[in-house]
Amino acid sequence: MEDVSAARTETQSETPGSSAAVKAEDEIPGTQEDETGNGNVPELEEWKRKVAEAEKRKADLLLSKLAADEEKRKWEEELKNLWSDEDKLAKERKLAQENYQRNFQQQKDELRREIQSLKDKLAAKKAKCKELAQRYKFKRDIPETKVKFTHLEKAENEEMCKNICYFFDVSTNVPFRLNKGEALITFEEENVAQELLKKSHHTVELENTKPVVRAWPVELETGVAFQLHVKISQRKINVSDIPDLLIPDEWVKDKLELNFCKTKLGGGEVQDVTYDRWLRMALITFAKPGVAKNIMKWAEYPFYTSEKTYVVTISPVVQKYLQRFEMFQGISKRTLLLTDIQDPSEDEESIQDMIAIHFQKPSNGGGEVEHIRYVSEGTKVAYFETDTENAI
């Protein structure tokens, strides 16, 4: 500021009264007083203070600018990193989407192959069922049989009328040991065997000899006879091989009920479900009879869940029990044991024929022979069965 005042003083001294001196005097008041030595010192100090403040403000602004530039650089760097992360995430998202699409397509192809395989298996099973149905479908004329009404049996409950009930008369075959040189001969008439037994000794004309054979009664060992009763339910079925699902038992029972009420698979309205998780079995009771018969056409039944389709095994509910269990022992009334048959011939069939011819002749006290068996060597076992000709 002192240099400026000096310059302005020199200019004024060179051109006194000029316009430049007037202008300088107007811009900086108090110059004349400085030239004469009577300057305004406080005003000069004020200007110095203002210049210092301006310099300080300028420095502050420069520092602020530098800080702002640094902040800007940081934000630009962070924005750049964000853009880089966004590109990376976009690439990862695209890669994940491609992997998902590829895995989805693979699973889709696998499901298609599995469905096709199940369809092929189903078609094969249907063909097999059709073949079995045709194989076991036959027509047979049942001979006329006289049926004797015996008694009425009161039904204990309605369930008895909804079951298929039948019984079998079962008896064991009684073995009889036949040794060398012995024969068993069975006649159609009981009295023929009894008359020959009374005579005891019989001379039989064979091919090379005429041995005297002896007739003995056939004493049988102990046998067993009983009735096997069977009842097949028309409303109940057994379900086995149930998968072990990680849900409560009540939910499994609900799923079983939903599966077996489908009419397109032969099912119907389910009345009750009894489920045993440990045995993996269930007892299904239907509301109407006949449903069990329809659903039994499926040896393996599909069991649908929300996650997978399983296969369960179906079997009928069968009750079996024995009645009239008896043990018997006796003598055959139409069969005789012939011993002491001696013939050098080893042809059993020819000897059997000659013995049968001899005992068929009425002149020898014989009658019509139903069956004969002769043993020339070793030992054989013959089996007697219960005569059920007159059974009802």
Side-chain angles (χ1 to χ4, degrees), residues 344-382:
S345 174
E346 296 181 358
D347 189 358
E348 290 185 356
E349 187 174 354
S350 62
I351 295 177
Q352 285 181 172
D353 292 340
M354 287 184 284
I355 295 174
I357 291 171
H358 175 83
F359 285 100
Q360 279 181 341
K361 293 179 180 180
S363 58
N364 295 328
E368 194 66 32
V369 176
E370 181 180 301
H371 184 75
I372 183 172
R373 182 59 176 166
Y374 167 69
V375 177
S376 60
E377 293 291 339
T379 302
K380 294 184 179 181
V381 178

Side-chain angles (χ1 to χ4, degrees), residues 17 49 51 78 101 127 160 163 166 171 174 202 219 322 354 378 386:
R49 185 183 62 77
V51 170
E78 185 174 354
Q101 291 290 343
M160 293 183 62
N163 296 330
Y166 56 92
S171 60
V174 181
H202 303 272
E219 297 181 0
L322 300 180
M354 287 184 284
T386 305

Side-chain angles (χ1 to χ4, degrees), residues 289-311:
V291 179
K293 181 180 178 181
N294 294 332
I295 212 167
M296 283 306 301
K297 296 177 182 178
W298 298 77
E300 296 179 343
Y301 194 86
F303 180 58
Y304 299 100
T305 64
S306 58
E307 299 177 354
K308 188 179 179 182
T309 300
Y310 301 89
V311 176

Side-chain angles (χ1 to χ4, degrees), residues 38-63:
N38 297 322
N40 192 349
V41 177
E43 185 177 357
L44 180 61
E45 292 297 329
E46 180 68 18
W47 279 103
K48 289 181 179 180
R49 185 183 62 77
K50 289 183 179 180
V51 170
E53 288 179 356
E55 291 292 337
K56 183 179 179 182
R57 191 180 301 113
K58 178 180 178 182
D60 292 339
L61 290 174
L62 288 174
L63 290 175

Side-chain angles (χ1 to χ4, degrees), residues 96-285:
Q97 187 175 4
E98 291 177 354
N99 292 334
Y100 174 78
Q101 291 290 343
R102 183 166 54 253
N103 294 333
F104 177 76
Q105 188 64 33
Q106 290 178 356
Q107 293 179 0
K108 188 176 179 180
D109 294 340
E110 290 178 0
L111 287 175
R112 285 180 177 176
R113 288 193 294 269
E114 185 176 356
I115 291 173
Q116 187 62 39
S117 176
L118 291 174
K119 286 183 178 179
D120 295 340
K121 289 181 180 179
L122 180 61
K125 286 185 178 294
K126 286 184 177 180
K128 185 177 180 180
C129 290
K130 186 176 180 180
E131 180 185 354
L132 292 175
Q134 292 295 331
R135 181 186 302 176
Y136 292 106
K137 184 184 295 185
F138 59 90
K139 182 178 180 181
R140 183 177 180 181
D141 295 330
I142 301 176
E144 294 184 2
T145 304
K146 293 182 179 181
V147 180
K148 180 181 178 181
F149 176 76
T150 55
H151 65 284
L152 288 174
E153 184 176 342
K154 184 179 179 180
E156 298 179 358
N157 50 51
E158 186 182 357
E159 192 70 23
M160 293 183 62
C161 303
K162 298 178 181 179
N163 296 330
I164 299 176
C165 303
Y166 56 92
F167 69 90
F168 301 94
D169 287 310
V170 181
S171 60
T172 58
N173 291 332
V174 181
F176 184 85
R177 186 179 297 275
L178 200 59
N179 298 317
K180 177 181 179 180
E182 296 179 347
L184 287 174
I185 184 169
T186 303
F187 297 94
E188 292 185 356
E189 300 295 334
E190 180 181 331
N191 59 345
V192 175
Q194 298 304 315
E195 290 298 326
L196 291 173
L197 188 59
K198 291 178 181 179
K199 189 177 179 182
S200 182
H201 293 79
H202 303 272
T203 303
V204 180
E205 184 175 355
L206 300 179
E207 184 176 357
N208 299 321
T209 60
K210 292 182 179 182
V212 177
V213 300
R214 187 171 180 179
W216 299 86
V218 178
E219 297 181 0
L220 300 176
E221 298 180 1
T222 303
V224 177
F226 56 88
Q227 282 186 349
L228 175 61
H229 290 253
V230 181
K231 292 182 180 180
I232 303 177
S233 177
Q234 292 292 283
R235 295 180 56 220
K236 298 180 180 180
I237 59 171
N238 288 318
V239 182
S240 56
D241 300 330
I242 300 175
D244 188 10
L245 303 177
L246 300 179
I247 57 177
D249 291 358
E250 291 298 325
W251 294 8
V252 178
K253 292 167 66 174
D254 292 341
K255 288 184 179 295
L256 288 169
E257 182 176 351
L258 288 173
N259 276 269
F260 285 96
C261 69
K262 296 180 179 180
T263 55
K264 65 179 182 179
L265 297 178
E269 182 182 353
V270 176
Q271 180 178 342
D272 183 62
V273 178
T274 304
Y275 172 62
D276 191 326
R277 180 180 292 273
W278 297 106
L279 297 178
R280 297 175 59 194
M281 295 182 63
L283 176 65
I284 310 294
T285 303

Side-chain angles (χ1 to χ4, degrees), residues 308-326:
K308 188 179 179 182
T309 300
Y310 301 89
V311 176
V312 295
T313 304
I314 300 176
S315 59
V317 176
V318 181
Q319 296 180 351
K320 294 174 282 188
Y321 57 92
L322 300 180
Q323 284 187 349
R324 297 183 181 180
F325 187 86
E326 300 174 350

